[in-house]
Amino acid sequence: MEFNIAFIGFGVVGQGLAEILLEQEQELKEKYDFSFKVVAISDAVKGSWYRRSGLDLKKLLELVEKQGDLKGFADGIEGWDSIKTIKETNANLILELAWTDLKTGEPAITHVKTALENKKHVVMTNKGPIALAVRELLDLAKKNGVEMRYEGTVLSGTPALNLGLYNLAGSGITQAKGIVNGTTNYILTEMEKGLSYEDALKQAQELGYAEADPTADVEGYDALGKIVILANTVMGANLSKDEPPCEGITNITAEDIAKAKEEGFRWKLIAGAELKEDGSVEAYVRPEKIPLDHPLANIMGPTNALTYTTKYVDEVTIVGPGAGKLPTGFAVLTDMLDINRIVKE
Ligand code: HSE
């Protein structure tokens, strides 16, 4: 099927996806019957273009890489804001990749609602709207007969949600537990090597792992948002992100790390969700001392990992990047291919 795509936001993730799309265009068509035209890109800072018959994505990507914005492209209509782009272009698939306030989920929630109400499919990587309003948004998608996907919100392109939702469907998942924040795992790894907490955090920021406000990483809120999304999506929970207990890594000292290692353990920031006997799901984020022979103890640096405990296939662990331009760009592609499969059926 052919999709008319609109990018809302053209930052790192959007550019990563554009790179992948340009590289894979032919293969996506031949192998997966997925054809596309990028008809609009609307970015509040970099500028906006719309062309009904399709924009030259290669040129736009070169432009943004060279000058940091989309000014001077001059092939289409210039200057439509996000809402006008979502409502009035001929796009039937909206990619919500704009900057979002984690506390309010805006403007992403409004973008997603507007798209769904206008019967357009949505893919997003922003955690805010999903952590805050997933049920409402999924209901809205259903009511309007369109699809909404958000694989990139948890472990970026490492298929954490889809593994639980599709591949482990029917396996009897009783628990999901893992390292879902790269910044804190990087800090703990570097502290073990002798770096101070402050220097390790600074490095994580320089390397682009940390959130704009790293408090969200080190206090555990980023991990909490992800485990709530996962529990609600895969384990049928209905948790709000303010409910579960949440503790970050700010109280862990270099001495704690060294002592744990002497005892055969390693401190990790663990996000978990457990299915209880009464069918409810409890989630938490807290530092845990993991035995060195457990797979999660050996996940180092910014790498993420998630272990599903199931009834029929015991423990299944997935390991991979939890952030980054191409991994997160790929998460958007994986969701688009999933929508393509469903819409075709
Ligand atoms: N700040 C996040 C992390 C980025 O460190 O994992 C990906 O959500």
Side-chain angles (χ1 to χ4, degrees):
M1 135 143 213
E2 172 152 314
F3 288 91
N4 288 340
I5 300 174
F7 283 62
I8 305 302
F10 202 49
V12 176
V13 178
Q15 290 171 40
L17 172 66
E19 236 177 78
I20 297 173
L21 287 176
L22 288 167
E23 232 174 74
Q24 298 267 334
E25 186 166 359
Q26 200 53 34
E27 194 174 342
L28 292 173
K29 194 172 174 176
E30 285 166 11
K31 270 197 175 163
Y32 309 110
D33 190 23
F34 176 81
S35 322
F36 67 91
K37 279 200 298 260
V38 174
V39 294
I41 295 182
S42 179
D43 186 294
V45 178
K46 298 181 179 70
S48 303
W49 292 95
Y50 167 47
R51 190 164 176 262
R52 215 184 146 73
S53 55
L55 295 162
D56 185 338
L57 186 60
K58 187 160 180 273
K59 242 192 206 160
L60 283 160
L61 188 60
E62 280 167 6
L63 206 60
V64 80
E65 280 169 352
K66 203 169 98 201
Q67 63 187 40
D69 61 36
L70 303 173
K71 297 196 177 93
F73 173 69
D75 191 8
I77 306 169
E78 190 177 12
W80 285 18
D81 67 16
S82 52
I83 296 296
K84 192 170 167 74
T85 300
I86 293 167
K87 278 187 174 168
E88 294 181 31
T89 63
N90 62 335
N92 58 0
L93 171 56
I94 305 295
L95 309 181
E96 209 299 320
L97 310 171
W99 178 87
T100 291
D101 182 326
L102 258 183
K103 290 200 181 76
T104 63
E106 291 296 354
I109 291 186
T110 303
H111 290 160
V112 174
K113 279 187 185 168
T114 309
L116 298 174
E117 280 159 359
N118 283 271
K119 304 200 185 312
K120 302 187 175 198
H121 305 294
V122 174
V123 173
M124 79 191 96
T125 56
N126 267 321
K127 292 175 278 275
I130 298 301
L132 291 164
V134 68
R135 292 272 161 254
E136 187 191 350
L137 296 174
L138 284 172
D139 286 350
L140 198 58
K142 203 168 173 191
K143 194 173 134 206
N144 286 286
V146 286
E147 299 294 328
M148 180 180 92
R149 292 288 185 283
Y150 46 90
E151 174 63 54
T153 56
V154 183
L155 268 61
S156 70
T158 304
L161 296 179
N162 286 341
L163 174 63
L165 263 181
Y166 296 138
N167 306 96
L168 292 177
S171 67
I173 294 171
T174 53
Q175 189 189 58
K177 169 173 168 164
I179 295 166
V180 301
N181 179 271
T183 302
T184 45
N185 205 51
Y186 179 83
I187 293 173
L188 293 173
T189 302
E190 291 303 309
M191 281 173 76
E192 188 178 319
K193 291 188 205 155
L195 215 65
S196 72
Y197 169 84
E198 289 76 18
D199 287 346
L201 171 59
K202 206 163 146 249
Q203 277 190 7
Q205 285 177 297
E206 281 163 11
L207 290 163
Y209 307 138
E211 297 295 305
D213 175 2
T215 319
D217 296 297
V218 297
E219 299 290 0
Y221 304 130
D222 175 76
L224 182 67
K226 289 169 183 166
I227 200 69
V228 164
I229 291 173
L230 188 133
N232 288 351
T233 303
V234 178
M235 298 172 76
N238 197 7
L239 297 170
S240 104
K241 75 176 178 51
D242 305 317
E243 279 172 76
C246 179
E247 187 190 335
I249 62 159
T250 47
N251 292 326
I252 297 183
T253 63
E255 291 74 46
D256 294 333
I257 290 171
K259 190 160 171 276
K261 209 166 166 204
E262 276 168 27
E263 294 166 352
F265 293 88
R266 191 170 266 138
W267 282 105
K268 292 289 178 193
L269 184 66
I270 299 294
E274 285 172 24
L275 185 64
K276 298 285 155 193
E277 296 256 305
D278 65 359
S280 66
V281 176
E282 276 179 13
Y284 62 88
V285 173
R286 63 180 176 235
E288 283 184 9
K289 272 201 296 186
I290 308 286
L292 285 170
D293 58 3
H294 190 280
L296 292 181
N298 295 300
I299 307 300
M300 306 303 275
T303 303
N304 284 196
L306 186 82
T307 300
Y308 280 107
T309 306
T310 69
K311 197 170 166 192
Y312 302 122
V313 274
D314 204 356
E315 286 195 349
V316 178
T317 299
I318 191 165
V319 179
K325 183 178 180 183
L326 293 175
T328 316
F330 166 73
V332 181
L333 174 62
T334 217
D335 282 342
M336 295 198 295
L337 292 176
D338 192 28
I339 293 177
N340 185 46
R341 272 192 294 269
I342 295 215
V343 171
K344 269 181 10 190
E345 275 166 8

